[in-house]
Every structure is written in structure tokens, then in C-alpha cells.
Amino acid sequence: MALSTVTYSPTQKGIVISIPTLVLSVSVGAIMLFFLLSSLSTCSCPSSLQSFNDNNNGRGGLGEVDKKERISATQEDIEWIMDQIQANGLHMQDNVLRKGINPRTRAQQLQDLIQFKGISHYEGLVSDNHTALPCPGELLVEEHHSNYGEPWAGGRDVFEFLAESSQLSPNSRVLEIGCGTLRVGLHFIRYLVPEHFHCLERDELSLMAAFRYELPSQGLLHKRPLIVKGEDMDFSKFGSGVVYDLIYASAVFLHMPDKLVWAGLERLVGMLKPYDGRIFVSHNIKFCSRLGGEECTKRLTSLGLEYSGKHTHDSLLFNHYEIWFEFRRSKA
């Protein structure tokens, strides 16, 4: 089984929409202005401006020209943020105690919460303190952000790569196998329309962090993601009629017996959109390579899957790249 490699960089993609600026110069009174405006209404204006008018029907502004949100940063974006840092004369400073700012480790923050609660807080019973969704201190200081062995920001890198590689739109449906504390999932939930992000997760502590901190603190409760506690690749709680545009597993298959991975793939095939849908698996596919290339291909074909290639993508913020293996459903 030959491996083709594609390298993805987050600064190489993105769409910039440019709307021509229309300038009217009127110097002969109201009657000339009338004729000028009348001529514009006959579509002699540039096509992009006409498209803008048609799409908006007189409502909204430039933000509504293209409903599809741009996903990754462009080189122009990178240059802009660097210019802002330079223009403000900013330099990284030592994290030392100084007036007005009190650097604290997560352990110190947690102790402060336990000992002092908040600067201003209600005394008495928890039921009387006006907190609609009380959250454990361990989650408030984001200890779970350190559970991944690499920066939390890497979740955005994964989202950008998968969303663009799968050509997702906000109406797409996505299933993550093992979403943990939503390091990646938050970005999909924010991008997709409500109820279109699903996840199967076995770890209760991760689920508590997702439900009690990440979703509320990120303002994403209204997106109603379907996150289910389960294991052994049991997807029955998601229903029988759902079809996904993207199914992905980040490092999850590394910790599963090969037999269980193959059983899961067999169940997932019918849940993946034919031809256009994609399955992405990170790090390695030893469940496949241990069979040997030819035997693996036969096994995939019998399931109705086709191996599409190996990809790498770079991090935007730190020196890191990740490896992904892509599969598609080859039969309807």
C-alpha cells in the first residue's frame, strides 16, 4: 500500500473577498444625482457589486456577502498581527509579580478559589449564591487544558486541517471518536449549525469538563452538541439515520485492540456519506499495517472503504506537525 504525502500549512489557505468601492461625484444638483442612481439600478455596475446587492437584498453589510466562514489564517493575517505587535512596541516579559497583575500558577489559583472564593462573593448556602451553573474549582482554573502533552491551542490546528481537507460547510455533520474535553471539538461546535457535532467519549472527567466548563464558558450551550458517554465503538445512541461528512479519531485508535478498531470501522461505514465523506485517523494506522499492505487493502475494500493517503499539517503557534491518514467510503 503506497503512501502519498501532502503537507498542509495554515497560512496557505483562505479566501479574501474584495468589494469594489463605488464613489459618486455629484456637482450639478439633485437632478443629476437622480440620473446617476437610476443608471446604477440597471446593473451597469461591476458584477461583484451587483452580486453583493443581490445577496443582501438591501439588508445587512459586508459580513453577509459570503455566509461560509473562512477557516484558517492567511499570510496577510499573519503579517497584520505581527504589525500590531511591532506598532505597540511589545516584547515578551518575565512572568514576575508587578503592580496590578498577580501571576498565579493553576495550583495557586485553585487554592485562592477554595480559600477566598471570589473578590466579591455571596456568603451562605450554595443554593442562595445566584450561581446558575456552579463549576468545580479544578475546571475553573483549566487544569484539564494540560492533559494533552502539548498546548491547548493545537486543537485549532487540528480543526482547520480537518475542516478544510474535508471541505466542510456549517451545515456539515461531524462525529469525533474520543472528543475528551473538547480541545478540538469546541471549534467544530462553534463553526457548525446547532446539533451537527456528535461525539463518543468514555472518560467521565473529560465529559464533566466539557459540559460544566467548556461549553458554558465559550457561550456554546445553544449549539446543542450531542456528546454521548460510551465505549467499545458503540454508536447506537446517535441513531440509525444520521450520515456524517467527517468522522475523525485523534490518537484514539492507538489505545484500542486492532479487532475493536476494525469492528468500529465496519459500523462507521454506513454512517459516512458515500464518496464525499471522509474518515481521518491520526498518528498511525498500525491496525492496518500489521496486516500487511495487500491484506489491509482487501479488508478495507470488503468494508466499502478506500485509503486516500497520508497527510501532515503544521501548527500555527508552535513547532509541531501532526500526521493524519485519510479514508473515504467507496460504495453507496
Side-chain angles (χ1 to χ4, degrees):
M1 179 176 64
L3 298 182
S4 58
T5 303
V6 178
T7 301
Y8 166 87
S9 175
T11 62
Q12 291 176 342
K13 295 188 178 182
I15 300 171
V16 178
I17 299 174
S18 177
I19 302 299
T21 302
L22 183 64
V23 179
L24 296 179
S25 177
V26 181
S27 60
V28 292
I31 188 68
M32 183 61 71
L33 177 61
F34 171 80
F35 284 114
L36 283 170
L37 293 176
S38 298
S39 65
L40 286 176
S41 66
T42 62
C43 297
S44 59
C45 49
S47 59
S48 57
L49 182 59
Q50 182 61 37
S51 175
F52 166 74
N53 291 332
D54 291 344
N55 290 337
N56 284 276
N57 292 324
R59 300 185 304 275
L62 291 175
E64 297 184 37
V65 175
D66 189 349
K67 298 288 186 182
K68 187 174 181 180
E69 176 188 351
R70 192 178 70 196
I71 293 173
S72 64
T74 64
Q75 186 59 40
E76 184 179 2
D77 295 331
I78 304 302
E79 292 171 358
W80 175 83
I81 197 66
M82 297 302 293
D83 287 344
Q84 302 309 302
I85 294 171
Q86 183 177 8
N88 284 283
L90 302 180
H91 303 278
M92 285 301 297
Q93 304 290 331
D94 292 336
N95 189 27
V96 295
L97 186 66
R98 56 195 188 276
K99 185 176 181 181
I101 298 178
N102 187 13
R104 311 287 280 167
T105 66
R106 286 194 170 114
Q108 290 170 327
Q109 291 179 53
L110 179 57
Q111 184 57 39
D112 288 347
L113 277 173
I114 295 171
Q115 184 174 352
F116 304 114
K117 301 177 184 177
I119 295 176
S120 301
H121 61 270
Y122 296 100
E123 298 290 351
L125 299 175
V126 173
S127 59
D128 296 331
N129 70 12
H130 300 220
T131 305
L133 191 62
C135 185
E138 292 84 352
L139 299 181
L140 290 172
V141 300
E142 300 181 343
E143 286 186 346
H144 57 284
H145 284 193
S146 301
N147 291 349
Y148 290 88
E150 62 184 46
W152 178 263
R156 178 71 193 186
D157 299 322
V158 174
F159 161 73
E160 291 183 4
F161 166 73
L162 292 175
E164 293 189 329
S165 297
S166 305
Q167 300 182 22
L168 295 188
S169 72
N171 286 315
S172 299
R173 293 183 180 273
V174 174
L175 170 64
E176 180 175 4
I177 304 169
C179 58
T181 57
L182 298 179
R183 175 173 173 259
V184 178
L186 283 175
H187 302 287
F188 279 106
I189 293 168
R190 184 177 291 110
Y191 177 73
L192 299 171
V193 301
E195 302 181 5
H196 278 215
F197 178 83
H198 295 178
C199 167
L200 181 70
E201 172 57 53
R202 62 178 295 182
D203 184 63
E204 185 170 351
L205 293 178
S206 294
L207 289 170
M208 288 294 285
F211 285 124
R212 298 193 65 176
Y213 180 75
E214 293 299 339
L215 289 174
S217 69
Q218 296 295 321
L220 295 174
L221 294 177
H222 68 287
K223 288 301 188 87
R224 300 292 195 273
L226 180 56
I227 302 173
V228 173
K229 185 177 185 295
E231 52 189 330
D232 296 332
M233 303 288 270
D234 179 7
F235 307 106
S236 59
K237 293 182 180 179
F238 298 109
S240 58
V242 62
V243 177
Y244 297 102
D245 300 275
L246 169 65
I247 299 171
Y248 69 97
S250 179
V252 174
F253 289 175
L254 303 179
H255 311 292
M256 288 185 184
D258 291 356
K259 184 177 180 180
L260 180 57
V261 174
W262 283 108
L265 289 174
E266 185 175 2
R267 297 165 190 165
L268 289 170
V269 171
M271 304 168 68
L272 185 66
K273 182 179 290 186
Y275 310 117
D276 294 331
R278 292 292 185 272
I279 294 177
F280 278 91
V281 178
S282 74
H283 292 73
N284 67 58
I285 48 173
K286 289 185 177 179
F287 66 90
C288 197
S289 59
R290 275 191 280 258
L291 294 176
E294 185 176 344
E295 184 60 31
C296 177
T297 300
K298 289 180 180 178
R299 190 79 174 267
L300 290 170
T301 302
S302 70
L303 296 179
L305 287 175
E306 177 181 281
Y307 176 72
S308 301
K310 175 184 175 182
H311 308 265
T312 63
H313 75 86
D314 301 321
S315 172
L316 178 66
L317 297 179
F318 62 108
N319 184 5
H320 172 76
Y321 69 88
E322 200 157 313
I323 301 171
W324 289 87
F325 298 85
E326 177 185 357
F327 302 86
R328 64 188 285 268
R329 182 177 172 183
S330 57
K331 298 178 182 178

